[in-house]
Amino acid sequence: MIIIATIRMAIRALQRNTLRTLLTMLGIIIGVGAVIAMISIGNGARAQIESQIASLGQNVILVMSGNFSRGGIGMGFGSAGTLTKEDFEAMTREVIGVSGASPEVRGNAQVAAGNQNVNTSIIGGSEEYAVIRSWTITSGSNFIDQDVRSANKVALLGKTTAGTLFGDGEAVGQVIRIKNAPFVVVGVLGAKGSDARGFDQDDIIIIPYTSAMKRITGGTTFRSISVQAMDAASSPQVQSDLNELLRQRHRIQDGKEDDFTIRSQQEIADFATASTKVMTVLLGSIAGVSLLVGGIGIMNIMLVSVTERTREIGVRMAIGARGQDILLQFLIEAVVLSVVGGGVGVIFGIGGAYAVAKTQNWATLVSTSSVVLSFLTSAGIGIFFGFYPARKAAQLDPIEALRFD
Amino acid sequence: MAALIKLENFSKTYNSGEMEVHAVRSVSLEIQAGEFIAIMGASGSGKSTMMNSVGCLDRPTSGKFWLDGVDVGSLGRDQLADLRNKKIGFIFQGFNLLARSTALENIELPMLYLRPSIPAREQVERANQALSMVGLADRGDHRPSQLSGGQQQRVAIARALVNHPKLLLADEPTGNLDTQTSIEIMGVFQDLNRKGMTVIMVTHELDIARYCKRNVVMRDGRIVGDTAVTNRLDAVEELQKLRLEHQAVQLAT
Ligand SMILES: Nc1ncnc2c1ncn2[C@@H]1O[C@H](COP(=O)(O)OP(=O)(O)O)[C@@H](O)[C@H]1O
Ligand SMILES: [Mg+2]
């Protein structure tokens, strides 16, 4: 029997009971749609976290004040304030393989320029901060070591901040007031976009940490120090040297816990991707269960259909249909159900992912592989769950099927 | 020439619970190509059981059955299906048309299972031919529910003939039809038989059996009579007579 004729026959059989067909498909539609939407959400989160970690800079080792190892590591920074200016200077002086280092202090402050006024986050760093954190400078230039040493009032503006304060006008050379202290804008940073939590990374001002500690954050300690290793190969050695140096400087006895935490960029990346992977798998498998339920729905309806159409099967066998013809007929009906359902589900899944992206402001990433995979899975489900009812039909005895009523 | 159908000690026993029902008991029978046979007998005498086995729908419990020289007992399920498809046309008392398909689609059905398959265009062509042969050329797109009993049986006959079988089997083909329609159907069979088709039909109506050439009578699963029909009826003549009677009745009233 010709496959195309069988497919046409299956479509006609399914059209006869439109409502039932739609309800049966609904399970697969929801299943495939959910799988695609969930995987898109998971992938989107991962892609964003990955790009955020990449923007941390190359071969960066983060030294944070406080010990996070007990509560696991977050993306946050320490607050205990155990890292001093002397620690920082010792790191650059005594550890071999360090190509750059910068402390980091953060605070929020009211910033004004002309009649424009914004509250933005202020980051204090050394002249190497922008380089280590892979910021580009689109106009003007970075501040220099002399600015840091003298706690000069110079500032690098994030793209968003520059836009808010100066619009399209030239920002470099202008004076802004941070907490009423006048700072000269020396450069404007290139855009990084928003991070995984949706925060605009370009809504910042970078100033020398000396100036920041004096005028904005106060205090004498750093929440973190970013150290850049010369290359990936020397990174582990630098990491352990830093550890040893700090334990020595902080006079931590053997067996006592560190009062700081050192994480390489790789460790942070591994942790973040591992946790988003877990999230993707979790979301995907919950959605997969609904796909399975959809498949069972197809099997259920096909079993009902085989019973209802026993006489038809008998007639077909009486005029010469082989068991395999009947098997194919019902199998194709199940596959048409699941494939059409899968196709509609793909559309709903992609639509759902976009809807989530729009309404929740989450990043979603519809991957071709997840679309193809869930579509093929739905076809597979049709074959798998359609096989038992189809075989049941094919094994009917012609005479008994004809007598059935 | 070998017989088209040969039954030898053919028996069928049903095991329904503890009761054993001997539906057909050691029947031996030969049927040549070109014959037109009525199998007669009371209800429960085993006619349908025998027809179903001859139609390769069922297997005997014991005994042998040759169809066109082939020992059917040695064939598998698929080979039986192919025999039903190509060599046998089966007509049922209840027509057994697919209710949701049109007359034409019903007639196309056996060609769907033809091996090797034939092109779709030829299928439609042959189905239309078969439809006009039974006088329903203009009813191809009607569903069974839109046709009269006689017309449905004609569609069933067209379906049985569309793969050009050697043998036409009909189990009480006139059982659900009125007298005139029954005679019309017998006319179709006589016509087919004249053109060389072997026809075997089951009936319990004596006057219907008289349109056939040979009558086989069964009782309790055995053949108790096998006679040639002497004063055979001709469907065309009988229909003519019926029409005249009608006119006479109408004139009288
Ligand atoms: N599937 C079956 N199971 C049990 N007994 C059956 C079955 N089919 C037919 N019979 C019995 O076999 C006998 C012959 O039946 P059947 O061939 O249908 O007779 P007929 O067609 O002459 O009326 C009857 O007694 C009937 O009850
Ligand atoms: Mg019967």
Short mmCIF file of all heavy atoms in Angstrom, two decimals, chain B residues 47-48 171-172, ligand 2:
data_model
loop_
_atom_site.label_atom_id
_atom_site.label_comp_id
_atom_site.label_asym_id
_atom_site.label_seq_id
_atom_site.Cartn_x
_atom_site.Cartn_y
_atom_site.Cartn_z
N LYS B 47 -23.95 -22.98 6.60
CA LYS B 47 -23.68 -22.36 5.29
C LYS B 47 -22.61 -21.26 5.40
O LYS B 47 -21.64 -21.25 4.63
CB LYS B 47 -24.98 -21.74 4.72
CG LYS B 47 -26.16 -22.69 4.67
CD LYS B 47 -27.38 -22.01 4.10
CE LYS B 47 -27.94 -20.87 4.93
NZ LYS B 47 -28.59 -21.26 6.18
N SER B 48 -22.83 -20.35 6.34
CA SER B 48 -21.89 -19.22 6.46
C SER B 48 -20.50 -19.71 6.85
O SER B 48 -19.48 -19.23 6.34
CB SER B 48 -22.38 -18.23 7.51
OG SER B 48 -23.55 -17.60 7.06
N ASP B 171 -22.87 -14.13 0.72
CA ASP B 171 -23.58 -14.76 1.84
C ASP B 171 -24.90 -14.03 2.05
O ASP B 171 -24.91 -12.90 2.55
CB ASP B 171 -22.70 -14.70 3.11
CG ASP B 171 -23.25 -15.62 4.20
OD1 ASP B 171 -24.39 -16.11 4.04
OD2 ASP B 171 -22.54 -15.83 5.20
N GLU B 172 -25.97 -14.67 1.64
CA GLU B 172 -27.31 -14.10 1.72
C GLU B 172 -27.35 -12.67 1.18
O GLU B 172 -27.72 -11.73 1.89
CB GLU B 172 -27.82 -14.12 3.18
CG GLU B 172 -27.66 -15.51 3.79
CD GLU B 172 -28.79 -15.88 4.73
OE1 GLU B 172 -29.87 -15.26 4.63
OE2 GLU B 172 -28.60 -16.80 5.54
MG MG C 2 -25.44 -17.50 7.78
#
